[in-house]
Amino acid sequence: MIEYPSDTLLDDLREQEQPLSGEDRMAEAGRKVMLRQLIQLIQNQPGVVAGEDANAVHDMRVATRRIRSTLRLLEGYYKSRVVRAYQHELRGIARALGAVRDHDVLLEHLQAYKGTLKSDDLQQSALDALIEQIEQERAVARYHLLRLLEKNRYNRFIADFAAFVCTPESGARKRDDSSVRPIQIRHALPPLIYEHLATVRAYDSVLAEAADDQLHALRIEFKRLRYASKLFDDVLGSQIKDFHKELANFQDHLGRMQDIVTAASAINALLPELPAEVEA
């Protein structure tokens, strides 16, 4: 039986939410950002377990990704062993959620395509067999996800990570107060964003003839740029919303292209398993 994080824990986390300030040290700013995402992760767990809303899996996966992204962005401000330990746990959760989500997306596209076919279309039987096979694979992925969520290790991680994001200076690198370094948001965030923007713009030289794996890599860089700015949008002013909207458009378009690549790969892998009469 899956034990959810207690309502008391969720209430306590919500009470400790605070807005970002340009004066915040980066380690403490990251803590505030990750607290918000931990709340989102916990809130969506009951929906994931119920299995009635695919958006719960998506939202829980996004929260996990954003926590991982924050740890990666700000890893220089925390102790390496702390970041490695949390990234390891989050990676396992993200993989389990991703396995279910990838099947959800594929099934959504196949069902939409099926809706365009006539009931007597010869493709219907082949498509039905393919959908059934993918649904079976999704059931296996969901089983493994639920097994992960019911383990004591997962609940210990949630409790430990909650303590980390709610305890100032926990896991942070020691500072040499005698030196002057850019450790506040107002000093360190601008070059961080520009660094990610530069990485995205570097794809200009290959975009015209980019291979699928390069386009997928570009999508990841757009996502990292978007996260780097969106996670800290409290201090970036109202105009940042337009920037986020444009980044989301690029990311979504590249995402749809990658969905096609992923779907084609998954379908090709399943074809040998389909009955011969269906393939014919």
Side-chain angles (χ1 to χ4, degrees), residues 25-67:
R25 296 176 184 269
M26 290 296 280
E28 301 314 305
R31 217 180 294 279
K32 291 180 180 180
V33 168
M34 289 186 286
L35 170 59
R36 297 174 186 175
Q37 298 309 319
L38 177 60
I39 290 172
Q40 292 299 314
L41 188 154
I42 294 172
Q43 285 181 161
N44 280 286
Q45 184 178 332
V48 169
V49 174
E52 298 174 354
D53 184 2
N55 287 330
V57 173
H58 170 69
D59 292 345
M60 188 172 180
R61 185 189 189 192
V62 168
T64 305
R65 279 179 167 176
R66 289 181 176 174
I67 294 173

Side-chain angles (χ1 to χ4, degrees), residues 153-173:
R153 176 173 174 170
Y154 171 79
N155 288 316
R156 285 196 301 270
F157 162 73
I158 292 294
D160 186 54
F161 193 70
F164 167 69
V165 297
C166 292
T167 306
E169 300 297 329
S170 174
R173 291 183 184 270

Side-chain angles (χ1 to χ4, degrees), residues 199-210:
T199 301
V200 167
R201 296 193 65 179
Y203 280 80
D204 289 352
S205 59
V206 299
L207 194 56
E209 299 179 358

Side-chain angles (χ1 to χ4, degrees), residues 221-277:
E221 295 302 338
F222 264 115
K223 184 182 301 181
R224 288 176 174 174
L225 171 59
R226 184 172 168 229
Y227 283 179
S229 58
K230 189 171 180 60
L231 291 172
F232 300 95
D233 60 4
D234 287 10
V235 296
L236 291 175
S238 59
Q239 290 184 330
I240 197 65
K241 293 181 180 178
D242 293 332
F243 181 59
H244 290 159
K245 187 180 298 184
E246 291 299 323
L247 291 179
N249 289 337
F250 282 113
Q251 185 182 324
D252 290 345
H253 185 75
L254 289 165
R256 286 191 290 272
M257 295 174 69
Q258 181 60 26
D259 286 344
I260 294 171
V261 173
T262 301
S265 177
I267 291 171
N268 287 333
L270 289 172
L271 286 178
E273 302 179 21
L274 295 177
E277 62 271 16

